[in-house]
Amino acid sequence: MSLVEPQTAVSAQTMRALTLVADRKIELLDVPAPPPPAAGEVQIGIKAIGLNHLDVWGWRGMAFAKRKMPLVVGVEASGEIRAVGPGVSGFRIGDPVVAYGGLTCGTCKACREGRDNLCENVAGVMGFHVDGFARDLLNMPARLIAPVPAGLSFRDAACAPIAYGTVQHMLFDNAKLKPGETILVQAGGSGIGTVAIKMAKAIGCTVITTVGDDAKAVKAKALGADHVINYRTDRFEGVVRKLTGKKGVDVVFEHVGPDTFNGSLLCLKRGGRLVTCGSTSGQSTTINLFQLYLQQYRIFGSFGASMRNIRDSLDKMAAGLLPVIDTEVPLAEFDRGLARLESRQVFGKIIVLF
Ligand SMILES: [Zn+2]
């Protein structure tokens, strides 16, 4: 007995934290557990983490993004309330929650107006610039926490802060997608691609999507996509022109980058909107300015979401618009999940379970 007790005491004060220690090198470390939450904070026990391309960029390193190491990884997560700090109302121990991954100031004009992802004093994106969610416990400002509606799993809720929130923000705040419009969703098998297909179909849009193989084409059809183009066997620009009677689509949902960007512009109708949140195929491309202004295209760069977008996303999930899950992996195999995501051999989201 006397040997067991000290171990128990130690384990109560330390916790697991999945930590990036060098490019492509992640270790599961024992680190001190956080103190009780301060005023205005809650303590969360993490249950599930959704993997995103942001994780892949952080893992393999980016030339222009300065990061500190060691860094606790994980950019979006769900968990449950473990402790409530002084002055916090609306949360109780055991409540399921998700957390906003940007450390916004909460006081600048953008924050006060609910445009959280335009915060003028953001202290960093968790899991990328500052320590993220892949740890047993963490303290967060209660204003950055959203309650999870009853009946949703931790696995599904983990997709709300980034995958769902980002798409909600892109489609409805930026591109202002309307019922009955036609949208081209690039890379419809990706985590955000699957969400975009489902959200656009849910309001009655016609959805055209691109995928990289025939197996994914079958799955994208099953999600509700009206037309699926295998971009490896067909030029998607030509197929979209044919499908829309040479008119083009109202909106393009982009996140692939140089490989598809100019083709995506060619798919737009005059005055059409392109919204992009990613560039998985590279960082730079050239565009034809003549075409841009003559065709009166509107191009939106989009990053992250507002707290409202995350709450709306959770409501959509509760109403049945659930994420497509590609794989679930245990915490110790976080980097296997990243390698799978990097390979693009995925359909839907990869979730890491605690
Ligand atoms: Zn702010």
Side-chain angles (χ1 to χ4, degrees):
M1 285 301 285
S2 60
L3 279 177
V4 172
E5 278 167 11
Q7 283 183 343
T8 308
V10 168
S11 69
Q13 291 163 18
T14 65
M15 62 173 189
R16 300 171 301 167
L18 201 59
T19 308
L20 184 71
V21 295
D23 284 351
R24 290 184 184 270
K25 191 155 191 268
I26 288 178
E27 291 178 355
L28 190 57
L29 302 179
D30 264 334
V31 301
E41 288 185 340
V42 291
Q43 186 167 92
I44 305 168
I46 296 298
K47 293 286 196 177
I49 289 186
L51 293 188
N52 288 276
H53 275 280
L54 197 53
D55 293 289
V56 175
W57 295 338
W59 176 56
R60 68 186 177 199
M62 286 180 100
F64 65 87
K66 288 276 175 282
R67 294 160 301 139
K68 64 141 194 143
M69 279 197 244
L71 177 83
V72 179
V73 298
V75 297
E76 73 173 339
S78 63
E80 63 182 16
I81 300 287
R82 293 285 173 79
V84 177
V88 174
S89 59
F91 292 106
R92 285 191 300 194
I93 291 172
D95 283 351
V97 294
V98 296
Y100 191 80
L103 292 179
T104 60
C105 73
T107 57
C108 73
K109 187 167 185 290
C111 281
R112 291 197 316 271
E113 292 173 355
R115 296 177 298 126
D116 309 84
N117 50 335
L118 289 170
C119 173
E120 293 158 22
N121 312 303
V122 66
V125 172
M126 293 176 65
F128 189 76
H129 305 106
V130 295
D131 282 339
F133 293 103
R135 43 184 152 160
D136 286 314
L137 293 170
L138 78 161
N139 294 344
M140 292 275 299
R143 66 182 171 80
L144 297 179
I145 304 300
V148 172
L152 281 183
S153 66
F154 287 113
R155 181 193 77 173
D156 291 347
C159 304
I162 294 192
Y164 271 60
T166 298
V167 177
Q168 175 76 19
H169 187 58
M170 289 172 77
L171 293 184
F172 302 110
D173 294 342
N174 284 320
K176 299 204 171 9
L177 184 68
K178 301 283 189 305
E181 289 192 314
T182 300
I183 180 171
L184 170 65
V185 175
Q186 291 287 15
S190 62
I192 57 170
T194 53
V195 178
I197 292 171
K198 292 184 94 167
M199 283 192 182
K201 283 311 297 178
I203 64 160
C205 291
T206 299
V207 176
I208 305 171
T209 191
T210 61
V211 295
D213 64 56
D214 290 342
K216 286 185 187 179
V218 173
K219 291 179 184 172
K221 263 274 199 237
L223 283 188
D226 298 278
H227 307 282
V228 184
I229 304 166
N230 182 336
Y231 63 81
R232 293 188 203 277
T233 54
D234 285 304
R235 276 189 74 241
F236 69 86
E237 304 93 314
V239 180
V240 169
R241 271 181 72 76
K242 219 175 276 173
L243 287 171
T244 56
K246 296 190 182 172
K247 281 205 302 214
V249 298
D250 300 288
V251 170
V252 175
F253 178 92
E254 246 295 337
H255 52 115
V256 177
D259 285 0
T260 54
F261 198 87
N262 278 288
S264 289
L265 285 177
L266 285 172
C267 290
L268 283 176
K269 66 167 57 162
R270 185 170 299 147
R273 296 97 75 197
L274 181 148
V275 61
T276 183
C277 73
S279 51
T280 46
S281 64
Q283 287 166 23
S284 302
T285 189
T286 56
I287 65 170
N288 182 329
L289 296 174
F290 197 63
Q291 177 199 8
L292 172 68
Y293 60 76
L294 276 186
Q295 294 299 323
Q296 302 171 58
Y297 294 148
R298 290 151 171 83
I299 299 177
F300 300 90
S302 198
F303 186 73
S306 65
M307 284 298 290
R308 180 179 47 76
N309 293 142
I310 293 170
R311 286 190 287 265
D312 289 348
S313 295
L314 288 163
D315 287 345
K316 287 186 176 186
M317 285 187 191
L321 204 158
L322 293 172
V324 177
I325 305 297
D326 174 87
T327 324
E328 293 174 28
V329 299
L331 185 60
E333 293 177 30
F334 192 93
D335 44 6
R336 182 168 71 87
L338 290 178
R340 184 171 171 83
L341 186 57
E342 187 181 36
S343 77
R344 296 202 205 171
Q345 298 304 308
V346 293
F347 192 89
K349 288 286 286 182
I350 300 174
I351 304 293
V352 180
L353 294 172
F354 270 65

